[in-house]
Each structure stands twice: as C-alpha cells, then as structure tokens.
Amino acid sequence: LTSSAFAEDLKPWPQKFQARPAKVIAVEALKGVAHAYETANFRLHSDNPIKEPQLTKFATVIESVPQLIRTLPLDLWAPPAEAKPRIVLCRDAQTYHRQGAPVGTTGYYSGRRQCVFIRADVFLNPPPSQPTRLQPKPNEDLLVHELTHLVMHGLLWRTSPWLYEGLAEYMSAAHIGGGAYNFSRIDAAIRDHIRLRHPPNANHQITCASLDYFLPMTGKQWI
C-alpha cells in the first residue's frame, strides 16, 4: 500500500463519543459471591446489592470502554479469554485489600486474576471533599482507567507501563461523565485531570516527574 492508501484505510480518531445506554441484569451468584449482575461484556460481583438507577449508570460507564476501544484506529481490544471478565465491588477497605489490591488505591486491575477490583464504599458512596449538602459524584474516571487495562489484557505483557498506563489515563481524562468522551480538547482535559488529582504548591504550580523517571519502570515499580 502507498502511504496515502494506508492513511485512507485508517479510521479517524473520534472527536467525541457517547456510549449507548447499557443493559444489565441480575444473575445467579456463584458460591461466595453475594450479588451478581451481567452486562454485554462484564460480570459484576458485589458484596452489597446495587439498586436502580445507580446500577444502570454504573453499567453504562463500564460498557462505554469496550464500545469506545472498538471504534479507535488502534488495535487495543484484547480482553481476557473468558467470556465475561469480572468487576468485583468490595464493600470496604479491608475486603478490598484482602483481594491483594495495593494500599492507597481505590481501584485495581489484576492481570493475574484477569479482573478489576473497586472499593464500592468510595465509588458508590464517595465522601465529600468539602462540607456540602450535595451528594458527591462517583469517580467514574477511575472505572474507565481500570477497565481500559482489562480490555487490553492480552497486550499488556508486550508493552511498557508508560504506554498502557498512559493510554488508560488518556481515556480517563477524555471521559466527561456517564460514558461520554470528548477528545476535541484533550490538551485542556489532561491539564484539568492533573489539577484535580494533584493540588498545586504554594506558587500555584504542579511539578511533574520527568519522562526519564517513568520510561524505564517495570509494572511492579509503577505500582
């Protein structure tokens, strides 16, 4: 192929993406699992029941990831071989860390177990960041990040952490809520994403580590 023919064959990177509303059903739970649900691509295990409309909103966000990944001009779709990989919602920190999730995290992708663990007490009922009567919103971007890892599962062993962590944060930064993504202002979105998670110092600056620090890292060093 000539370069022009190759370029014509590539799908364009989307400017915006809106996930379709997801369908989710309660299914029979396995031994040791309190509650189980299924969406088109995932099986959810939860210590506590999830009520509507929270369940539908949750399902739409998680299903937005495979819907989006399949539209991209990069071949990133490589989920675990099992039909529907698991997303495990742990009721509290003790249950979450018992599953092997690192301290200091609220979401964790386990390549060995081929599933994602989420602290439900933080995600479904997040504590307010400041005194307010408004109910704080769940950190849906956390789901997007961890599920990007999950649907790229078969590729991760061949790539470096800077790439797969970078892609997961890129998708997370582009996510504007409810399974909708905006790539048209990605530079500003990434800056906002960083500001939200890393408060500036006294001089209103945020210091980022150099690429020389990140590029040689192994997966274990990254965690």
Side-chain angles (χ1 to χ4, degrees):
L1 290 175
T2 65
S3 58
S4 60
F6 181 71
E8 290 175 1
D9 191 53
L10 287 176
K11 295 182 293 185
W13 196 272
Q15 290 293 298
K16 296 182 179 180
F17 180 85
Q18 175 63 63
R20 300 182 299 274
K23 294 182 179 179
V24 56
I25 59 171
V27 296
E28 184 177 354
L30 302 175
K31 183 179 179 181
V33 176
H35 303 274
Y37 310 88
E38 281 193 1
T39 64
N41 289 281
F42 304 105
R43 185 178 177 94
L44 314 180
H45 290 173
S46 178
D47 291 331
N48 298 317
I50 310 173
K51 298 180 179 180
E52 292 283 359
Q54 199 172 39
L55 181 60
T56 299
K57 290 180 180 178
F58 184 85
T60 298
V61 174
I62 66 175
E63 282 295 322
S64 73
V65 178
Q67 288 178 30
L68 172 62
I69 291 294
R70 286 170 168 147
T71 70
L72 300 181
L74 297 177
D75 191 12
L76 301 178
W77 178 250
E82 65 177 271
K84 291 188 177 181
R86 292 172 297 138
I87 301 169
V88 180
L89 291 165
C90 304
R91 65 178 173 269
D92 52 30
Q94 184 178 7
T95 307
Y96 174 74
H97 294 305
R98 195 183 300 138
Q99 298 287 356
V103 174
T105 67
T106 54
Y108 175 60
Y109 155 76
S110 171
R112 180 176 60 84
R113 299 173 67 178
Q114 303 182 16
C115 66
V116 162
F117 297 97
I118 300 289
R119 268 189 62 179
D121 59 329
V122 173
F123 179 81
L124 296 177
N125 299 290
S129 57
Q130 56 187 3
T132 177
R133 292 184 179 182
L134 297 176
Q135 174 66 28
K137 294 181 179 179
N139 184 4
E140 295 178 347
D141 299 348
L142 168 71
L143 278 180
V144 172
H145 179 108
E146 300 303 339
L147 290 173
T148 298
H149 289 329
L150 187 59
V151 301
M152 290 178 57
H153 170 82
L155 301 174
L156 299 191
W157 66 276
R158 292 185 287 173
T159 57
S160 299
W162 68 264
L163 178 59
Y164 59 73
E165 292 290 350
L167 282 167
E169 276 298 277
Y170 184 84
M171 301 301 177
S172 180
H175 183 248
I176 58 177
Y181 299 78
N182 185 354
F183 296 97
S184 67
R185 54 179 297 277
I186 192 63
D187 288 358
I190 290 172
R191 288 194 294 270
D192 292 343
H193 194 69
I194 293 172
R195 290 189 187 106
L196 182 64
R197 289 155 181 79
H198 301 281
N201 61 23
N203 295 321
H204 303 288
Q205 295 177 333
I206 297 173
T207 302
C208 297
S210 69
L211 290 177
D212 290 340
Y213 175 75
F214 287 111
L215 293 180
M217 279 188 173
T218 65
K220 186 173 292 186
Q221 288 171 332
W222 192 281
I223 292 173

